Amino acid sequence: MQRPAWGADVTRTAVLALIGAQGPVSRAELARSLKVSAALVTQLTRQLIADNLLEELDSVPSQGGRPARLLGLTSSASNAIGVKVAADHVALVEVQIDGDVVHKEGGLSVVKIAIDPVWHLPGIAERFGASEMGLRRALFEQTGGMYPELVTRLDLQVFLPPIGGTTVYIFGDVDKLTDAKTRITCRVHDECNGSDVFGSDMCTCRPYLIHGIEECARGAQEGGLGIIVYNRKEGRALGEVTKFLVYNARKRQKGGDTAATYFHRTECVAGTEDARFQEFMPDCLHFFGIRKIHNLHSMSNMKYDAIVNSGIEVVNRISIPDSLIPKDAMVEMEAKKAAGYFTKEAPKSKEALKKVHGRQIDE
Ligand SMILES: [Zn+2]
């Protein structure tokens, strides 16, 4: 079926959002609550019923005498919808139920894979063109001497680095992984507990992840594969303590939170803008035999470069739809675009970045 245009038909979305939030309502109630004409409600609900998103339920007595029909979200339809209503935007997620990838009760079929990093030191040294002893010494020093065995037990070739692991969710038939003809949709996501789990609106992490999951499910339904790679690299691998210090510094700085100072604030607190090391990130894609990603849902140049430089072809780079970006996250989004992250539009000038403001500390 035709997918509704994002952000283009807010009233149509508002109808779904209202019913999603309140349960079945009559057309008259819809018109009253949305402050639109009865004729428009009739027209919109007719379309939504035709699209199998709404259905007519039982009649209830109305004041005017004729019983009013209640409209509810479809329970037996071929589509599932999720509606998120935030203070500044309404987002609609729509997926087809096929009973294979997406189930009627809203579940998704996936294959879950958990990976812990285990480094074979001679192999890692070879990949970086370094000597094994040089690598051992660097790791020993950069971890504050916590792992003396790195330099005292040369017989131990394997090291468990003190970094987070990876979770992979695969949508679709895993037997197709090594088939070069399989269209692969992929989101490589770095953990952001504040947004992913707790729904903070200061960044786009959760909307990006959810959008990636939706597109992976859609890709699998179309006969391809979807892959979500979730890496524990909280706060650009600087950790959540650093991240919260940066958030505080951003909100409390003179002039407020602006896109112009977004990266600078991180550097002031942490000494670097970003501590992520993406060179090993594509390893898990290679474990699965992937040679080509058709749709890569990421704006990050570090991720894109690491994937392409590891020998995997990327056909399309896809950024998050504007309608999914929370208002307060525009600071992050515009700063990233200006810093060279992938975008189809021209990034804002330095002066324009100063005008992209986030919420005040007391708002
Ligand atoms: Zn985030």
Side-chain angles (χ1 to χ4, degrees):
M1 84 166 251
Q2 230 12 49
R3 193 178 162 185
W6 290 95
D9 50 0
V10 171
T11 316
R12 180 184 149 104
T13 307
V15 170
L16 294 169
L18 195 122
I19 299 176
Q22 295 186 5
V25 294
S26 67
R27 288 180 177 82
E29 283 174 66
L30 274 174
R32 258 197 310 280
S33 302
L34 299 173
K35 297 188 176 62
V36 294
S37 69
L40 181 59
V41 167
T42 305
Q43 184 198 334
L44 287 168
T45 52
R46 191 184 301 134
Q47 275 172 12
L48 289 164
I49 290 169
D51 287 346
N52 222 1
L53 292 168
L54 284 187
E55 63 184 352
E56 290 201 316
L57 305 169
D58 295 339
S59 301
V60 290
S62 77
Q63 291 157 344
R66 201 158 64 102
R69 295 280 282 185
L70 289 183
L71 294 168
L73 301 180
T74 43
S75 55
S76 58
S78 59
N79 292 278
I81 54 168
V83 181
K84 182 195 167 200
V85 187
D88 55 0
H89 71 288
V90 177
L92 170 70
V93 174
E94 185 180 333
V95 287
Q96 289 191 342
I97 295 169
D98 54 24
D100 191 13
V101 179
V102 182
H103 300 275
K104 202 170 153 185
E105 69 281 7
L108 295 169
S109 283
V110 292
V111 173
K112 291 190 265 190
I113 298 163
I115 301 170
D116 274 338
V118 179
W119 289 356
H120 178 246
L121 294 169
I124 298 275
E126 199 184 325
R127 277 177 74 167
F128 288 112
S131 69
E132 186 184 329
M133 209 49 224
L135 174 71
R136 284 174 175 274
R137 187 156 192 95
L139 288 171
F140 171 67
E141 288 173 358
Q142 296 299 321
T143 50
M146 282 193 297
Y147 304 97
E149 295 81 4
L150 278 165
V151 287
T152 58
R153 290 287 307 274
L154 303 188
D155 57 314
L156 298 177
Q157 295 196 323
V158 168
F159 176 57
L160 305 182
I163 57 174
T166 300
T167 309
V168 182
Y169 276 56
I170 299 179
F171 302 71
D173 180 2
V174 288
D175 287 344
K176 293 182 184 169
L177 266 173
T178 50
D179 181 349
K181 293 193 290 297
T182 305
R183 275 174 72 97
I184 291 180
T185 299
C186 179
R187 162 81 186 150
V188 181
H189 189 87
D190 289 339
E191 177 180 44
C192 173
N193 186 268
S195 171
D196 293 346
V197 179
F198 291 98
S200 158
D201 64 349
M202 266 181 85
C203 58
T204 54
C205 302
R206 183 185 171 98
Y208 226 132
L209 178 61
I210 301 293
H211 180 60
I213 291 171
E214 188 195 343
E215 290 304 314
C216 280
R218 203 184 309 283
Q221 287 178 322
E222 290 167 1
L225 277 173
I227 300 173
I228 299 279
V229 181
Y230 191 95
N231 293 303
R232 301 308 176 317
K233 293 182 185 176
E234 177 60 64
R236 298 198 210 121
L238 293 162
E240 205 167 32
V241 171
T242 300
K243 179 177 179 170
F244 286 1
L245 289 172
V246 172
Y247 278 7
N248 268 314
R250 277 174 56 191
K251 292 294 180 192
R252 289 172 192 279
Q253 69 192 318
K254 208 172 154 219
D257 187 18
T258 73
T261 54
Y262 173 79
F263 283 108
H264 180 62
R265 283 276 76 88
T266 308
E267 201 168 350
C268 287
V269 173
T272 178
E273 286 178 2
D274 199 321
R276 282 174 291 185
F277 182 74
Q278 299 290 13
E279 272 64 17
F280 292 152
M281 175 270 287
D283 284 10
C284 67
L285 302 173
H286 288 281
F287 296 160
F288 305 140
I290 293 170
R291 312 298 305 159
K292 183 172 173 177
I293 294 171
H294 201 269
N295 291 321
L296 177 66
H297 287 261
S298 168
M299 293 170 70
S300 161
N301 285 349
M302 282 170 75
K303 291 177 188 166
Y304 173 78
D305 290 345
I307 290 172
V308 170
N309 291 339
S310 77
I312 295 174
E313 185 189 343
V314 172
V315 182
N316 300 311
R317 298 176 73 182
I318 299 169
S319 42
I320 185 170
D322 286 347
S323 61
L324 297 183
I325 303 172
K327 196 160 162 257
D328 203 36
M330 287 312 291
V331 171
E332 175 205 85
M333 192 46 67
E334 294 301 341
K336 283 185 167 177
K337 286 181 190 170
Y341 276 58
F342 173 73
T343 169
K344 287 206 164 109
E345 323 125 37
K348 288 194 189 308
S349 68
K350 259 188 177 163
E351 277 311 301
L353 286 181
K354 290 182 189 163
K355 295 192 185 109
V356 181
H357 274 268
R359 238 192 343 259
Q360 301 290 319
I361 183 86
D362 52 359
E363 279 183 296

